[in-house]
Amino acid sequence: MNMLNRSAGKARKITYWIATLWLSLGMLSTGIVQLMKIKEEVDVTLHLGYPIYLLTIIGIWKILGVVTVLIPKFALLKEWAYAGFFFAMSGAIFSHITSGDPVKEIFPPLLLLVLTVISWYFRPAERTLVTANR
C-alpha cells in the first residue's frame, strides 16, 4: 500500500507541474502579447467591446500571476493568482460567446481555464493555504 501511495503522490506532482508549466507558458505569452499591443490582439479587444488600456492591465496581472504561481511560499497570494486566472479566462470565454465568435476563438481561453483548475487542484500541500478551525 505504501508503494501505491508513493506512485499516486508522484503522479499528482507530475500532473501539477505539467499543468502549471503549460498554464504559465500560456499566461506569460498572452500577457506579453497584450503588453506589446499586437495588432491582432488590439482588434480582438475592440471586437469584444473593451478599451485598449485593458490590455496593459491584464498583461501585467498575467505576468505577475505567473511569477506568483511559480515561486515557492506565498500561499494566499497564489490563491489570488489562481482566482485572477480563473476570472480572466472565464470572462474571455463569455465575451467571445456573447460576441457570437466561433468555437475556435473560445478554445484558447477554455484551455487556459482548464489548466488553471488542474494546476490549482493538484498543487502540493506546501503551496496550499492552510486554514485553522477555531
Side-chain angles (χ1 to χ4, degrees):
M1 186 69 165
N2 195 12
M3 183 66 112
L4 186 59
N5 285 343
R6 270 190 263 167
S7 293
K10 188 174 183 178
R12 184 177 182 85
K13 187 177 256 188
I14 290 170
T15 302
Y16 165 77
W17 278 110
I18 289 172
T20 302
L21 291 175
W22 277 106
L23 170 65
S24 297
L25 179 63
M27 290 296 183
L28 181 64
S29 63
T30 57
I32 290 169
V33 165
Q34 288 165 333
L35 284 176
M36 294 175 64
K37 293 185 178 66
I38 303 294
K39 182 185 179 334
E40 291 81 11
E41 195 70 19
V42 169
D43 292 345
V44 168
T45 303
L46 292 173
H47 163 72
L48 295 175
Y50 296 112
I52 300 306
Y53 68 81
L54 190 63
L55 290 173
T56 302
I57 296 168
I58 292 176
I60 289 170
W61 283 113
K62 280 183 178 181
I63 293 168
L64 291 174
V66 168
V67 171
T68 301
V69 166
L70 291 177
I71 62 173
K73 308 224 185 227
F74 306 106
L76 180 59
L77 204 52
K78 286 182 193 317
E79 293 293 325
W80 282 80
Y82 280 119
F85 288 165
F86 185 88
F87 295 139
M89 293 305 100
S90 60
I93 291 165
F94 286 109
S95 294
H96 284 291
I97 289 170
T98 58
S99 294
D101 289 343
V103 174
K104 71 178 182 129
E105 299 299 323
I106 297 166
F107 182 73
L110 179 60
L111 176 60
L112 288 172
L113 180 69
V114 168
L115 289 170
T116 297
V117 171
I118 292 170
S119 175
W120 176 84
Y121 182 79
F122 286 98
R123 70 201 187 285
E126 66 270 9
R127 291 176 174 261
T128 61
L129 190 60
V130 177
T131 58
N133 292 328
R134 293 182 187 206

